[in-house]
Amino acid sequence: MKAMKTMMRITDNQHRIAKEDFVAEYPKLSQALLDRTLDNLSKEDNIFIFPNDLKNSPDLEKDQKIFETVNQKIKTGNVIGFLGCGQERLTISSRFSDESNDHFLHYLLHKVLHINLTSLDVALSREERLYQLLMYLFPKYLQAAIRKGLYKEYHRFSYNDSNVKGVIDVRNHLKKNLPFTGNISYTTREFTYDNPLMQLVRHTIEYIKNQKSIGQGVLDNLSTSRENVAEIVRVTPSYKLADRAKIIRGNQSKPIRHAYFHEYRKLQELCLMILNQEKHGLGYQDQKIHGILFDVAWLWEEYVHTLLPKDFIHPRNKEKLGGISVFSSRERKVFPDFYQEELKIVLDAKYKKLELTEKGIKREDLFQLISYSYILKAEKAGLVFPSKDKIVDNKIGKLAGYGALLKKWSIQIPQESSSYSEFCEMMENSEETFKRNITKEVGRK
């Protein structure tokens, strides 16, 4: 059994993991995870899924499973990260990473979220580095929440003065004001920003600040980060370090439920994950499943967008923006990943293994491209995917009918780099080749 533990490496898009071996090595996790959908798993309090909103991630289907059983084999999807239960630890790595690094994931986060990960502590285990990434995500989630305005809620306050404006507190009045000196004890119910949720955010800020190697760098990742942090500090004057455990318990027992404050709910989840790592360390003593997962398909799509010419439209399924009408009545729309109507080209980003055959793509991907190219009357349509061994720039075929040319393009992911900085340089070379290939297709100099 010990030998098998050192050999079994789980990556995304694996298809032939022996179920018997997996269950033997991870009995608790297999019971908790096998054939459970991401939608169902996202409801777990101790699992953080980035981007943590399934509706915001069209490629991450609600019914997708992290581990799906097919003919006594287990296959993985487009999700990577860490999961634990009791003493069991399971890391799902990117298929483009090796045993010692996560350069590919870090690079995608850097390009998509514009965060600087150069100070990530390389001395940490892979599991610990994944949790450290949560702190780098904090400024983005704080910014998204604050866009809704500062969160406030009703709380009861006690006063003892002569300006009575609430309900008289007879018990406290008799206790404090005999003999009568002119003051009256009373309580009021007031809207306040200084509430348990905002206190939780404040405690997270103070915790991150105290991380010597990365703290201030994390909070300076966004141009708006300092302003957001200052605003949280301003509205939480009652902050006390000694209250941290109480604030954590209060937020765990009272999660934000109102749909309007969805962004604050996600921020609350993130803060609890960060602070619970400080509280418990990485060894959770209970039997609840916990972990952090990244939707790499979403990251890949957003990354490809950063490489395309600016006039490519990138529809947003959640916001119903940029879609194309299926029918002339415009009642129904579909959302290709990228298209440019004047240049008559449509592209789909796929985080799939598509380099094994020159022309082969799955039936559903083929039909999707045909549909998009037909509706847009596109002259070219294609898939953009990551590859290991070579850069792919291949024709799939020319369609009957309108005659659109279908193609596959890849961005080659470096497999041998001595450092993260070298990995970045090699990625930039791959990107330049991809940009030249796309520029050639759209007829630009």
Side-chain angles (χ1 to χ4, degrees), residues 341 344-345 371-380 402 404:
E341 286 191 272
K344 297 184 180 297
I345 186 170
S371 299
Y372 292 157
S373 59
Y374 181 87
I375 294 169
L376 289 168
K377 297 182 181 179
E379 295 176 356
K380 292 178 182 177
Y402 279 134

Side-chain angles (χ1 to χ4, degrees), residues 32 103 127 131 137 225 248 263 265 286 379 408 423:
H103 292 340
E127 172 188 343
Y131 274 103
L137 298 178
S225 189
I248 290 173
E263 290 82 1
R265 168 60 178 154
D286 57 31
E379 295 176 356
K408 293 197 304 187
F423 179 88

